[in-house]
Amino acid sequence: SISNSFREFIMKDLKLRSTSSIFYVLIMLSALIHPVSFMIVMYISALIVLFEYGKVLRKDPEYLDFLKRWNQDYSLFVSTEFFPIFMVTVFGLLPLIGPALNFPNIEEANVIYYIFTIVYLILYPVLLLFLISKKKIYGSYTNKAWPMFLVTVSLILLVSSPFLNIDFEKFRIYMITYLALIWGVDSAGYFIGLKFGKKKLYESVSPKKTIEGVYGSIIFTLIFGFYLSQFYKIETLIAIASSFLICFFAITGDLIQSKIKRQLKVKDFGNWIKGHGGLFDRLDSIIFSFPFFYLIIIIFENVS
């Protein structure tokens, strides 16, 4: 019957989602043993994400036509994944390769990452405009590669983050907390939406995401923020507000990535996990929310 088939589909979907989630959770947590191991795992992840993005771009007829109109020999290098990979390699691995070249030291490197964070914050409203816009404006339809710039900036911050100018033990706790929040937001939204979801949040961009699912994510975030304040011994309002900001940017990031896929007319960026896409599809919430988490750590550390 239809009901039995649907139930089987849901169970299969849950099994795939759970297996893939547990797999990459274990990898990321085990990488937090040492700053270098975390950097290497994040660097490899960044390469995979950018390759997935670039591969889709190089197959998009409209985008290739755009490159031909530019008629530049270097346009493919600049406008697909090759230059972003170069950026992530140079700036993401700077804390490792910098000392060997006698530049820069950790303090100088962190100034560079602060600048990247500011650039991301300044340009983020353009992503929001891209998300809500229905018009074919330049930059969202004509040049489909521009969101990769902000993805690259976020990946640079993610790769270099173990060498943020704070104690690594403290960074490890921050990172585990952040990952728990992200995975909790995603899981609560998925399960509540699956059980109670009726009203679509943004059907033209993400048909499966529901308003009820978002409510589930928000409720989880409020509870998480409260317990976070008890754990860190900080003001409850600050902990809840910080958690809510991350929740907002995680959900928005999921929608932004879905909009990018709609622009490029693909279901997923890869096929690593059958039915759940590639690594970019799995890490979208982290990629688009991490710079804000990075900023929260900087502010919290300096204020405290």
Side-chain angles (χ1 to χ4, degrees):
S1 65
I2 296 178
S3 59
N4 289 334
S5 298
F6 180 73
R7 190 178 296 110
E8 290 177 3
F9 170 78
I10 293 299
M11 293 304 296
K12 184 178 180 180
D13 183 73
L14 286 175
K15 184 178 180 180
L16 280 171
R17 182 177 291 269
S18 300
T19 302
S20 62
S21 296
I22 291 172
F23 180 71
Y24 84 80
V25 165
L26 290 176
I27 289 179
M28 295 189 76
L29 291 180
S30 60
L32 282 167
I33 294 173
H34 190 274
V36 174
S37 64
F38 187 77
M39 171 179 276
I40 292 173
V41 170
M42 292 302 99
Y43 176 67
I44 294 173
S45 299
L47 295 185
I48 293 172
V49 167
L50 292 173
F51 270 122
E52 288 177 344
Y53 200 154
K55 183 178 179 181
V56 172
L57 276 174
R58 285 182 273 111
K59 291 182 177 180
D60 184 77
E62 188 180 43
Y63 182 68
L64 291 177
D65 182 63
F66 167 78
L67 293 180
K68 289 179 182 178
R69 290 201 303 272
W70 271 81
N71 195 28
Q72 297 289 342
D73 294 333
Y74 57 82
S75 60
L76 188 66
F77 175 82
V78 173
S79 301
T80 52
E81 78 270 28
F82 305 108
F83 187 68
I85 286 174
F86 172 78
M87 292 283 289
V88 170
T89 301
V90 172
F91 291 105
L93 300 180
L94 195 58
L96 284 184
I97 64 178
L101 303 174
N102 295 320
F103 176 85
N105 57 39
I106 294 297
E107 288 73 19
E108 292 170 333
N110 273 285
V111 171
I112 295 173
Y113 300 131
Y114 296 161
I115 293 173
F116 274 124
T117 305
I118 293 171
V119 169
Y120 189 93
L121 295 176
I122 292 173
L123 295 181
Y124 189 80
V126 182
L127 275 182
L128 294 180
L129 178 63
F130 163 74
L131 175 61
I132 64 177
S133 176
K134 295 183 179 179
K135 296 180 180 179
K136 291 190 176 184
I137 58 174
Y138 178 82
S140 63
Y141 283 72
T142 308
N143 183 354
K144 297 180 179 182
W146 73 265
M148 187 185 279
F149 174 72
L150 289 183
V151 170
T152 303
V153 172
S154 179
L155 290 173
I156 289 172
L157 295 177
L158 184 60
V159 171
S160 63
S161 60
F163 292 89
L164 186 66
N165 198 21
I166 61 174
D167 180 71
F168 183 70
E169 290 298 322
K170 187 179 289 186
F171 170 79
R172 180 189 288 125
I173 295 174
Y174 283 143
M175 198 67 198
I176 291 174
T177 303
Y178 166 69
L179 294 175
L181 175 58
I182 291 294
W183 293 326
V185 166
D186 286 344
S187 298
Y190 175 77
F191 286 110
I192 297 299
L194 189 65
K195 181 68 176 178
F196 304 104
K198 294 181 179 180
K199 299 179 181 178
K200 301 297 183 181
L201 177 65
Y202 199 168
E203 189 170 10
S204 62
V205 170
S206 185
K208 293 183 179 180
K209 192 170 290 296
T210 64
I211 293 176
E212 291 82 2
V214 173
Y215 288 156
S217 295
I218 292 174
I219 292 171
F220 169 84
T221 301
L222 295 176
I223 297 172
F224 185 91
F226 173 77
Y227 282 104
L228 191 64
S229 68
Q230 308 303 306
F231 180 79
Y232 284 114
K233 306 298 180 183
I234 59 177
E235 290 290 335
T236 302
L237 185 59
I238 294 176
I240 291 177
S242 300
S243 300
F244 184 78
L245 282 175
I246 297 299
C247 172
F248 171 80
F249 291 118
I251 294 173
T252 305
D254 190 357
L255 292 173
I256 289 171
Q257 201 242 27
S258 294
K259 182 68 176 284
I260 293 172
K261 289 193 288 189
R262 296 294 174 271
Q263 297 292 292
L264 292 169
K265 298 180 176 64
V266 294
K267 183 179 183 296
D268 296 306
F269 276 97
N271 55 3
W272 287 56
I273 310 163
K274 188 176 180 181
H276 291 276
L279 194 61
F280 190 18
D281 300 288
R282 298 300 292 158
L283 298 181
D284 52 359
S285 297
I286 292 176
I287 290 172
F288 288 103
S289 67
F290 186 79
F292 298 97
F293 167 69
Y294 194 90
L295 180 64
I296 288 172
I297 292 179
I298 294 171
I299 293 174
F300 186 80
E301 283 296 310
N302 284 280
V303 170
S304 60

